[in-house]
């Protein structure tokens, strides 16, 4: 136990993560289910040797400069676009994340969005609750079949691959777009690596599983949306800003694509005007990894990464 070292936990997290940290360090834990403001974050970072932060915290140069003793930034997430990694690296600060443990839960959720939007479950649920369902109708809420269709995966890493593997239940053809070849996916599913344009023009269902980077921001925009078929659906459980959300609203309004399933938003937690008024989109509040087991594992790994780095050992997962 090294109570001389102080760890800031920026927001309420699963208890298991706090317990791990409290065994080793003095812990300054924000007990609220709300992010600290930027000034409050900087103030509490001033005495921190480590920070366990969330994807809702911006760990930018100002935050890092406010923390002269900081040795590790441990994100309670696999995505780390909220952290200025090059700046942290320049200050010899380790940046850690929680890959792997949320892969299956997030892929499950991407499928849940795909199935909900193609089979129009939110519209049906609304109909039931409104008392407007007057009995079986051969033309009511007709959706799209999945069997034998083409699934396009953009970003065939851990979650993209898990998404692709789940498609075997519907004997789908799998296309993927990544910078490198995914040999495992090609062998297991006969998946084919294609250019983004071919994927957009060919796939019936497109699911995004990229990190948000300068290169992927607005990868899906007015031009690329126009490459999709009018019968195609777009699913995004990665990061909102990979899609130009205003362009997506326009495509959904004009029905140049059939529908979308979103868990993430460009200006999260806000949505661009018009999105919530559309019927051909299902909107989830960034809950891709939200299962009890997964969130406990994320909290444990985020805490364990801090214990290891502060003890001079390699982290379970470090990105710099
Ligand atoms: P990952 O294993 O690193 O997969 C990302 C893939 O994207 C990699 O295979 C990478 O392959 C590819 N890629 C990166 N830049 C690219 C580019 N410019 N063009 C084409 N492909 C590119 O990450 P993961 O664990 O699957 O997670 C993916 C993302 O999902 C995270 O970064 C996070 O933002 C998001 N996420 C969201 C939730 C949620 O709650 N909704 C939960 C978990 C994760 P190459 O390097 O070969 O291109
Ligand atoms: C969630 O969005 C994550 O990146 O873990």
């Amino acid at each position: 136990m090294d109570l001389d070292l102080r760890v800031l936990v920026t927001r309420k997290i699963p208890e298991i993560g706090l317990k791990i940290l409290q065994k080793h360090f003095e812990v300054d834990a924000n007990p609220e289910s709300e992010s600290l403001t930027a000034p409050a974050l900087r103030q509490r970072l001033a005495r921190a040797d480590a920070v366990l932060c969330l994807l809702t915290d911006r760990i930018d140069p100002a935050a890092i400069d406010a923390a002269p003793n900081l040795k590790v930034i441990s994100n309670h997430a696999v995505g780390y676009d909220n952290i200025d990694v090059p700046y942290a690296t320049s200050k010899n600060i380790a940046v850690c994340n929680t890959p792997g443990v949320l892969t299956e839960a997030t892929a499950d959720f991407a499928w849940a969005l795909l199935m909900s939007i193609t089979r129009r479950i939110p519209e049906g649920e609304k109909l039931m609750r409104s008392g407007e369902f007057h009995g079986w109708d051969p033309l009511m809420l007709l959706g799209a079949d999945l069997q034998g269709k083409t699934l396009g995966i953009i970003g065939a890493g851990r979650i993209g691959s898990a998404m692709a593997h789940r498609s075997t239940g519907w004997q789908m053809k799998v296309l993927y777009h990544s910078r490198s070849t995914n040999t495992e996916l090609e062998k297991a599913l006969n998946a084919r690596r294609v250019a983004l344009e071919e994927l957009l023009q060919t796939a019936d269902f497109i699911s995004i599983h990229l990190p948000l980077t300068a290169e992927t921001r607005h990868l899906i925009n007015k031009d690329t949306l126009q490459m999709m078929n009018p019968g195609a659906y777009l699913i995004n459980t990665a990061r909102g800003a990979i899609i130009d959300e205003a362009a997506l609203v326009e495509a959904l309004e004009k029905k140049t694509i059939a529908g979308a399933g979103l868990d993430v938003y460009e200006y999260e937690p806000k949505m661009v005007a018009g999105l919530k008024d559309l019927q051909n989109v299902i909107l989830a509040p960034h809950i891709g990894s939200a299962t009890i087991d997964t969130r406990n594992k994320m909290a444990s790994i985020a805490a364990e990464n801090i214990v290891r780095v502060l003890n001079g050992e390699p982290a379970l997962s470090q990105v710099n």
Side-chain angles (χ1 to χ4, degrees):
M1 170 143 17
D2 191 345
L3 287 174
D4 290 345
L5 293 171
R6 190 175 164 95
V7 178
L8 170 63
V9 178
T10 61
R11 191 169 168 162
K12 194 170 178 183
I13 59 163
E15 197 58 34
I16 190 167
L18 278 186
K19 285 206 170 122
I20 292 171
L21 291 172
Q22 281 160 346
K23 264 198 262 164
H24 297 269
F25 312 114
E26 184 187 340
V27 178
D28 170 20
N30 173 14
E32 308 297 333
S33 293
E34 224 172 83
S35 298
L36 295 170
T37 62
L41 176 64
R42 288 198 293 273
Q43 194 197 0
R44 287 170 81 157
L45 277 168
R47 290 186 52 214
D49 295 279
V51 60
L52 191 157
C53 56
L54 306 190
L55 59 88
T56 45
D57 297 311
R58 263 178 69 78
I59 309 294
D60 55 12
I64 292 170
D65 285 343
N69 304 323
L70 202 62
K71 294 158 197 71
V72 49
I73 300 167
S74 183
N75 222 26
H76 188 286
V78 63
Y80 49 87
D81 47 280
N82 57 311
I83 301 169
D84 190 328
V85 179
Y87 194 71
T89 308
S90 77
K91 300 279 176 186
N92 280 324
I93 298 170
V95 178
C96 302
N97 68 342
T98 64
V101 291
L102 40 51
T103 297
E104 307 304 331
T106 310
D108 285 347
F109 196 73
W111 271 102
L113 290 177
L114 196 161
M115 298 195 73
S116 297
I117 191 64
T118 52
R119 297 306 301 271
R120 304 175 68 172
I121 293 173
E123 287 175 86
E125 220 250 357
K126 215 156 122 192
L127 195 74
M128 291 306 295
R129 288 181 192 270
S130 70
E132 306 259 314
F133 173 52
H134 301 303
W136 194 85
D137 178 339
L139 296 177
M140 186 177 63
L141 291 178
L142 304 184
D145 283 312
L146 306 188
Q147 189 70 21
K149 297 275 180 71
T150 299
L151 175 68
I153 301 287
I154 305 182
R158 288 172 291 254
I159 301 170
S161 299
M163 179 77 185
H165 275 281
R166 282 156 174 71
S167 72
T168 54
W170 296 275
Q171 287 79 40
M172 287 182 168
K173 295 181 223 27
V174 177
L175 302 178
Y176 73 96
H177 172 69
S178 256
R179 290 173 307 187
S180 49
T181 303
N182 186 327
T183 320
E184 186 278 327
L185 218 51
E186 298 196 354
K187 272 199 190 134
L189 302 178
N190 210 16
R192 199 158 61 81
R193 181 169 165 231
V194 294
L196 182 64
E197 290 71 19
E198 182 179 344
L199 185 146
L200 293 167
Q201 286 161 359
T202 319
D204 301 294
F205 311 108
I206 295 168
S207 195
I208 302 174
H209 300 285
L210 297 165
L212 175 63
T213 63
E215 211 183 348
T216 65
R217 185 176 293 274
H218 282 197
L219 187 76
I220 303 299
N221 52 43
K222 196 178 167 95
D223 294 337
T224 45
L225 281 164
Q226 271 167 4
M227 295 176 190
M228 288 176 61
N229 290 312
Y233 293 82
L234 183 64
I235 307 298
N236 189 11
T237 55
R239 282 291 180 272
I242 295 168
I243 300 180
D244 176 343
E245 205 168 289
L248 176 64
V249 169
E250 194 182 335
L252 290 167
E253 273 169 0
K254 293 187 174 157
K255 298 198 164 58
T256 61
I257 67 171
L262 306 178
D263 187 39
V264 287
Y265 304 88
E266 186 169 359
Y267 307 103
E268 205 168 300
K270 297 197 171 98
M271 287 181 280
V272 300
L275 189 61
K276 72 178 169 51
D277 305 319
L278 296 166
Q279 293 299 322
N280 52 352
V281 63
I282 175 164
L283 306 167
H286 204 150
I287 51 171
S289 67
T291 70
I292 297 164
D293 285 351
T294 297
R295 288 289 165 83
N296 281 338
K297 286 180 192 157
M298 289 166 71
S300 302
I301 290 179
E304 194 59 42
N305 278 333
I306 290 177
V307 174
R308 287 180 179 232
V309 174
L310 291 186
N311 282 329
E313 294 162 19
L316 295 172
S317 169
Q318 183 169 339
V319 304
N320 62 346

